[in-house]
């Protein structure tokens, strides 16, 4: 398998590579390169559990955002009125894999990651916009979302990643047009090998910018209580429970 094909298949694979993710996320300052001054930008800590549960804290521990409707149900009118409501989460449907276990073709499913701030946050968690849902015919290479060059394997915050220079084609359709992972011209992007998450992006031509993401843990157990605005005082079964026995008993 050539490097561009592997990179694109990795970009399609995120929904099947993890269920929970703990990470730090930064919007790069305008004058920061991809491998440079990430510490200068504002950082948020995130806990994410698919589908749709997200908690965000500032560096000092202040809660910025916490989902409150993770157990909401849908009434009969909603279920019967839209076709999308019948789609299953991607984890419950099977994609077409390549020989390396990456996703070659994505099935129809209820895709979508929690969003905060702008659409780049969600796009980074599932960077399918860099690849499209399936390969394009070999005779029409310009139908690829982006052209990929200079693909290398790099270390990103202690984890293996694939890095490439990406140039958008006319077929590029960002998840959020106002906050794409790639802008016109050359863009440097990195995708984590273990999760398929786009961990960094930097625009090399024109106004600079991008994002930086540091993965702290993958598939940790996360209680519902973590994502609620008010605690339900659930017991974390991972912690030791002490029993106080009064004297004389």
């Amino acid at each position: 398998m050539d490097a561009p094909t592997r990179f694109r298949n990795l970009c399609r694979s995120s929904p099947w590579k993890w269920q929970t993710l703990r990470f730090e996320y930064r919007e790069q300052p305008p004058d920061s390169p991809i491998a440079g001054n990430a510490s200068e930008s504002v950082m948020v800590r995130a806990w994410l559990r698919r589908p749709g549960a997200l908690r965000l804290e500032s560096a000092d521990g202040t809660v910025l955002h916490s989902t409150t409707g993770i157990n909401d149900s849908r009434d009969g009118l909603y279920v019967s009125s839209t076709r999308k409501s019948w789609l299953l989460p991607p984890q419950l449907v099977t994609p077409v894999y390549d020989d390396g276990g990456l996703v070659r073709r994505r099935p129809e499913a209820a895709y979508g990651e929690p969003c905060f701030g702008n659409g780049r946050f969600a796009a980074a968690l599932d960077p399918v916009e860099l690849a499209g849902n399936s390969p394009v015919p070999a005779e029409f290479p310009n139908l690829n979302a982006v052209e990929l060059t200079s693909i290398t394997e790099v270390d990103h915050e202690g984890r293996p990643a694939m890095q490439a220079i990406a140039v958008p084609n006319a077929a590029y359709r960002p998840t959020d047009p106002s906050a794409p992972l790639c802008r016109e011209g050359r863009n440097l992007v990195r995708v984590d090998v273990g999760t398929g998450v786009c961990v960094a992006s930097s625009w090399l031509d024109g106004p600079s910018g991008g994002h930086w993401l540091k993965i702290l843990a993958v598939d940790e157990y996360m209680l519902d209580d973590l994502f609620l605005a008010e605690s339900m005082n659930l017991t974390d079964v991972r912690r030791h429970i002490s029993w106080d026995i009064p004297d004389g008993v």
Side-chain angles (χ1 to χ4, degrees):
M1 184 191 310
D2 61 33
T5 298
R6 182 174 173 232
F7 188 92
R8 291 187 175 101
N9 289 354
L10 179 60
C11 290
R12 299 182 182 113
S13 298
S14 174
W16 296 273
K17 278 187 165 289
W18 55 275
Q19 290 297 310
T20 70
L21 200 67
R22 179 163 56 89
F23 59 95
E24 295 177 353
Y25 179 85
R26 304 175 190 268
E27 289 284 340
Q28 292 286 46
D31 58 349
S32 177
I34 192 170
N37 306 314
S39 61
E40 295 181 6
S41 61
V42 176
M43 181 269 289
V44 294
R45 293 190 178 95
W47 291 256
L48 190 151
R49 188 184 69 188
R50 284 169 164 163
L54 175 67
R55 178 187 180 90
L56 289 176
E57 293 183 359
S58 64
D60 63 4
T62 302
V63 178
L64 303 174
H65 173 81
S66 183
T67 50
T68 57
I70 59 177
N71 294 317
D72 286 352
S73 60
R74 303 293 188 179
D75 62 21
L77 179 61
Y78 173 87
V79 172
S80 62
S81 63
T82 64
R83 179 178 179 276
K84 186 176 181 180
S85 64
W86 292 91
L87 295 177
L88 295 173
Q91 297 82 9
L92 299 182
V93 293
T94 303
V96 177
Y97 292 101
D98 63 21
D99 293 339
L102 300 175
V103 173
R104 177 174 171 81
R105 185 181 299 273
R106 287 164 61 124
E108 190 176 16
Y111 297 105
E113 302 293 345
C115 184
F116 182 83
N118 59 49
R120 191 177 302 113
F121 184 95
L125 297 170
D126 183 13
V128 66
E129 69 180 59
L130 300 177
N133 288 322
S134 61
V136 304
E139 58 270 25
F140 300 114
N142 288 337
L143 293 181
N144 280 309
V146 299
E147 294 300 319
L148 299 170
T149 59
S150 304
I151 299 175
T152 57
E153 295 186 3
V154 298
D155 177 274
H156 181 89
E157 299 284 10
R159 295 176 59 90
M162 292 188 72
Q163 176 175 289
I165 292 180
V167 178
N169 284 323
Y172 180 53
R173 298 291 183 270
T175 303
D176 181 353
S178 65
L181 292 176
C182 292
R183 287 193 172 180
E184 185 177 354
R186 298 174 305 134
N187 303 265
L188 197 60
V189 291
R190 287 180 186 170
V191 179
D192 181 74
V193 171
T195 62
V197 170
C198 182
V199 290
S201 66
S202 182
W203 308 321
L204 303 180
D205 296 333
S208 62
H211 79 280
W212 187 274
L213 190 152
K214 179 181 179 180
I215 294 175
L216 302 175
V218 181
D219 285 339
E220 283 184 328
Y221 179 71
M222 295 183 182
L223 287 167
D224 284 356
D225 208 26
L226 181 65
F227 304 103
L228 299 178
E230 296 183 6
S231 172
M232 296 186 297
N233 295 317
L234 297 179
T235 299
D236 186 345
V237 296
R238 297 171 299 176
R239 302 178 62 182
H240 173 69
I241 301 174
S242 60
W243 297 87
D244 297 325
I245 301 177
D247 294 336
V249 176

